[in-house]
């Protein structure tokens, strides 16, 4: 009896998947998600909008954060194969859509690592270890380039070791943000706080436009552990557990420090780049003569937090790119899992190279202006990330129709209206990221990123649009480069059908029972 090609694992997938090790347990996934979602580099970007930032945090937690968590709880348990977000998109919309979307999803992370994360780490070190003085260019590179490659090395390590790095990163967040909140209370008792009137919490359209991009960026990432789906011990039970608990932890870890910043620093003095670090420096004055030592420890924790944010995203997105390589949506050279480590070393190194190039280019283009550097790279990072979700989200809807018989241990309620709501929010946000203040006050003073002048609106648009267009073109070229792999996979599938051969590996949605690669496509297209 011939087998349905769409439920078959082909030889490349089986060969690469056999190198994966199941080291990813329930609490590993939980701590991984906390590192993924809670990014201390963007806390100040939210706080800079004042009291309404907290209001919109709550609103978007209800209308975006929770629906997204429900969506990925279904996809993550129904289709738990390696390469999750790539696999879902490719199964739903084909190899071309999968290739382009997955490149956008992947490239965000080396850009983010070499851009905003490296810049935020350097700023913290300047404040706490260089008396607030800006590093010279050679020193800046001496700090940031090793930062990038330490993250890459952590991603290269076996998940048996690498998962402990993300666990340390999660506890670094608990410690840093917990101590910060306690210190804010002590500071408020000693020095008082500048008032936040009730009116500052009133939501305004201009505030929504300003905040929606960074808030949605803070709230995405529930799907990332499924990039390592076949390295999970029990995805069916562990994914919903980790998503539910990480959602609660993440909201609290964002909301409380943001309120703390608003209480101790006037809104007009909170900057995207340094607001959280500046708030730490201000409040830690309560430690008196020990303030420099305690502040230095906080600076190290801050660097560890931003480093592990990069590590988790590199770990996940690099796996998705590797899967696309042996599935025919990227160069086959990239689709290789290291047999000894069980990690996509080639893609990891590729990420490090891209991060380093972004770091050098962004520093050169912005003339070393840290604020302009941070704003421009953060805008590209957020827009590219959110564009990729424009196909990942609706894949749930499509896969319900195309794969109705797949077991779904968890089912998203009201999936049609909630998916539409997610898509509308994403589309609006992408427009605002490309053209801040569009439909309201394009590149007006309230929406213009730090370091940019009113006359530079056209240049800013180019810095956002050109990279995205370039990334889409590269995604198409990746698809073209995978043509031979797709044809070989399709030919092998035909041979298996003709021979009535057994399936190599597990079935769709095999979960903890032992899946062995991505669901294969039925054509070379």
């Amino acid at each position: 009896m011939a087998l349905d090609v769409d439920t078959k694992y082909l030889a490349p997938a089986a060969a690469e998947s056999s190198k994966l090790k199941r080291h990813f347990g329930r609490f590993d996934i939980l701590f991984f998600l906390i590192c993924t979602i809670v990014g201390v580099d963007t806390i100040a970007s939210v706080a800079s909008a004042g009291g309404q930032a907290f209001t919109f945090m709550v609103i978007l937690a209800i209308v975006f954060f929770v629906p997204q968590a429900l969506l990925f709880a279904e996809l993550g348990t129904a289709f738990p194969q390696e390469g999750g977000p790539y696999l879902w998109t490719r199964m739903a919309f084909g190899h071309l859509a999968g290739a382009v979307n997955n490149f956008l999803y992947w490239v965000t992370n080396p850009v983010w690592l070499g851009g905003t994360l490296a810049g935020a780490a350097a700023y913290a070190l300047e404040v706490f270890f260089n008396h607030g003085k800006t590093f010279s260019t050679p020193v800046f590179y001496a700090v940031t380039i090793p930062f990038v490659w330490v993250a890459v090395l952590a991603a290269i390590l076996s998940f048996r070791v690498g998962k402990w790095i993300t666990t340390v990163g999660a506890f670094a967040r608990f410690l840093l943000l917990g101590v910060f909140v306690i210190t804010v209370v002590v500071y408020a008792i000693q020095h008082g706080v500048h008032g936040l009137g009730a009116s500052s919490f009133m939501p305004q359209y201009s505030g929504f436009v300003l905040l929606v991009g960074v808030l949605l960026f803070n709230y995405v990432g529930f799907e990332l552990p499924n990039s390592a789906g076949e390295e999970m011990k029990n995805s069916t039970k562990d994914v919903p557990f980790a998503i539910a608990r990480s959602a609660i932890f993440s909201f609290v870890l964002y909301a409380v420090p943001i309120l703390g910043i608003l209480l101790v620093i006037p809104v007009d003095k909170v900057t995207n780049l340094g607001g959280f670090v500046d708030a730490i420096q201000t409040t830690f004055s309560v430690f008196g003569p020990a303030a420099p030592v305690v502040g230095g420890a906080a600076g190290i924790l801050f660097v560890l937090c931003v480093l592990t944010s990069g590590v988790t995203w590199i770990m996940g997105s690099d796996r998705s790119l590797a899967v696309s390589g042996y599935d025919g949506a990227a160069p086959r050279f990239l689709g290789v899992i290291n047999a000894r480590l069980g990690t996509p070393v080639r893609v990891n190194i590729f990420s490090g190279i891209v991060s380093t190039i972004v770091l050098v280019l962004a520093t050169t283009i912005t003339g070393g202006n840290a604020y302009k550097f941070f704003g421009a790279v953060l805008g590209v990072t957020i827009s590219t990330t959110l564009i990729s979700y424009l196909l990942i989200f609706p894949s749930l809807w499509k896969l319900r129709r195309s794969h109705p018989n797949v077991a779904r241990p968890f089912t998203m309620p009201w999936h049609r209206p909630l998916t539409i709501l997610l898509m509308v929010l994403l589309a609006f946000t992408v427009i605002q990221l490309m053209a801040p203040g569009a439909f309201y006050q394009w590149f007006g003073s309230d929406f213009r990123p730090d370091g940019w002048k009113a006359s530079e609106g056209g240049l800013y648009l180019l810095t956002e649009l050109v990279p995205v267009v370039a990334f889409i073109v590269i995604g198409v070229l990746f698809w073209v480069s995978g043509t031979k792999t797709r044809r070989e996979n399709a030919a092998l599938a035909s041979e298996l059908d003709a021979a009535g051969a057994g399936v190599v590996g597990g079935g769709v949605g095999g979960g903890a029972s032992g899946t062995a690669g991505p669901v294969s496509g039925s054509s070379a297209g």
Side-chain angles (χ1 to χ4, degrees):
M1 175 180 176
L3 296 172
D4 181 2
V5 177
D6 199 36
T7 65
K8 214 182 264 101
Y9 294 112
L10 301 181
E16 300 302 331
S17 295
S18 67
K19 305 172 187 176
L20 300 172
K21 314 289 193 302
R22 291 186 180 274
H23 296 303
F24 214 12
R26 173 172 293 192
F27 286 96
D28 302 324
I29 300 170
L30 172 61
F31 296 138
F32 186 94
L33 274 172
I34 290 172
C35 275
T36 298
I37 297 172
V38 182
V40 296
D41 59 308
T42 55
I43 286 177
S45 297
V46 177
S48 63
Q52 63 179 321
F54 185 81
T55 304
F56 282 120
M57 274 192 65
V58 175
I59 293 173
L60 289 174
I62 296 170
V63 302
F64 185 84
F65 198 39
V66 173
Q68 180 209 181
L70 296 173
L71 185 149
F72 286 126
E74 174 172 336
L75 285 175
T77 52
F79 303 95
Q81 293 81 11
E82 195 83 358
Y86 159 72
L87 174 70
W88 306 329
T89 306
R90 196 273 288 159
M91 288 177 64
F93 305 112
H95 280 91
L96 177 57
V100 173
N101 206 64
N102 195 51
F103 187 83
L104 288 170
Y105 184 81
W106 167 80
V107 77
T108 293
N109 300 295
V111 170
W112 187 41
L113 177 63
T116 56
L117 294 183
Y123 182 82
L125 295 176
E126 288 171 348
V127 169
F128 293 112
F129 297 100
N130 198 43
H131 307 291
K133 297 178 182 178
T134 303
F135 288 141
S136 64
T137 300
V139 174
F140 177 80
Y141 284 140
V143 167
T144 53
I145 291 178
F147 175 89
V148 166
W149 285 97
V150 167
V152 171
L153 176 61
I156 287 174
L157 294 173
S158 165
F159 230 137
R160 180 175 59 85
V161 178
K163 69 180 183 180
W164 290 108
I165 296 173
T166 60
T167 299
V168 169
F171 280 94
R173 285 160 172 76
F174 295 147
L175 182 58
L176 175 64
L177 299 176
V179 171
F180 174 70
V181 170
I182 294 171
T183 307
V184 165
V185 174
V186 176
Y187 182 89
I189 294 172
Q190 292 184 359
H191 302 281
V193 295
H194 71 272
L196 275 177
S199 61
S200 68
F201 289 91
M202 290 296 294
Q204 300 176 6
Y205 178 75
S206 59
F208 179 71
V209 171
L210 179 67
L211 285 164
V212 66
V214 70
L215 284 176
L216 295 198
F217 182 66
N218 286 348
Y219 279 163
V220 295
F222 285 121
E223 78 293 340
L224 194 65
N226 273 98
S227 296
E230 290 170 46
E231 297 166 76
M232 294 180 181
K233 295 178 179 179
N234 191 334
S235 61
T236 300
K237 294 182 179 179
D238 294 346
V239 167
F241 172 92
I243 286 178
R245 284 152 183 79
S246 65
I248 296 170
F249 277 120
S250 298
F251 179 80
V252 172
L253 288 172
Y254 272 130
V256 178
I258 286 171
L259 281 177
I261 292 174
L262 292 173
L263 288 172
V264 299
I265 297 181
V267 173
D268 60 355
K269 296 188 181 299
V270 179
T271 64
N272 284 351
L273 174 60
F276 184 46
V277 171
D278 294 339
I280 292 173
Q281 187 181 40
T282 298
T283 58
F284 276 33
S285 63
V286 301
F287 292 103
V293 175
V294 180
I300 292 172
L301 283 175
F302 181 89
V303 172
L304 182 58
C305 288
V306 294
L307 176 67
T308 51
S309 287
V311 169
T312 53
W313 278 97
I314 291 292
M315 280 181 171
S317 63
D318 281 7
R319 281 166 165 78
S320 288
L321 186 60
V323 170
S324 70
Y326 60 71
D327 191 50
R332 183 66 181 89
F333 173 82
L334 295 176
V336 175
I337 304 296
N338 183 277
R340 183 170 65 88
L341 298 173
T343 56
V345 174
R346 293 181 182 180
V347 181
N348 296 150
I349 294 173
F350 185 33
S351 290
I353 294 171
V354 172
S355 290
T356 305
I357 293 172
V358 168
L359 175 66
V360 174
L361 284 178
T363 304
T364 303
I365 291 172
T366 59
N369 184 321
Y371 295 98
K372 183 180 285 190
F373 173 97
F374 185 90
V377 179
L378 182 62
V380 172
T381 302
I382 296 176
S383 61
T384 307
T385 299
L386 297 185
I387 288 171
S388 69
Y389 287 94
L390 287 170
L391 282 183
I392 297 174
F393 284 162
S395 64
L396 177 136
W397 198 335
K398 178 66 165 57
L399 291 173
R400 279 200 179 186
R401 296 171 62 89
S402 62
H403 292 71
N405 297 324
V406 171
R408 286 169 169 79
F410 177 87
T411 303
M412 178 186 182
W414 310 299
H415 74 282
R416 288 186 178 87
L418 290 180
T419 303
I420 292 172
L421 175 62
L422 291 172
M423 298 290 289
V424 170
L425 281 170
L426 281 176
F428 177 82
T429 303
V430 169
I431 292 172
Q432 294 302 324
L433 290 167
M434 297 283 187
F439 314 126
Y440 188 68
Q441 292 178 358
W442 152 238
F443 222 63
S445 58
D446 290 337
F447 310 106
R448 195 161 54 246
D450 287 343
W452 290 82
K453 301 175 183 177
S455 59
E456 295 179 319
L459 177 61
Y460 184 85
L461 178 61
L462 288 176
T463 65
E464 303 301 303
L465 190 60
V466 170
V468 171
V469 173
F471 295 155
I472 291 173
V473 171
I474 295 172
V476 173
L477 294 177
F478 269 36
W479 171 75
V480 172
S481 71
T483 301
K484 181 180 178 181
T485 303
R486 294 195 303 276
R487 287 175 178 169
E488 291 175 349
N489 287 348
L492 181 54
S494 297
E495 292 176 11
L496 290 172
D497 273 338
V503 178
V504 181
V508 178
S513 62
T515 41
V519 182
S520 69
S522 58
S523 71

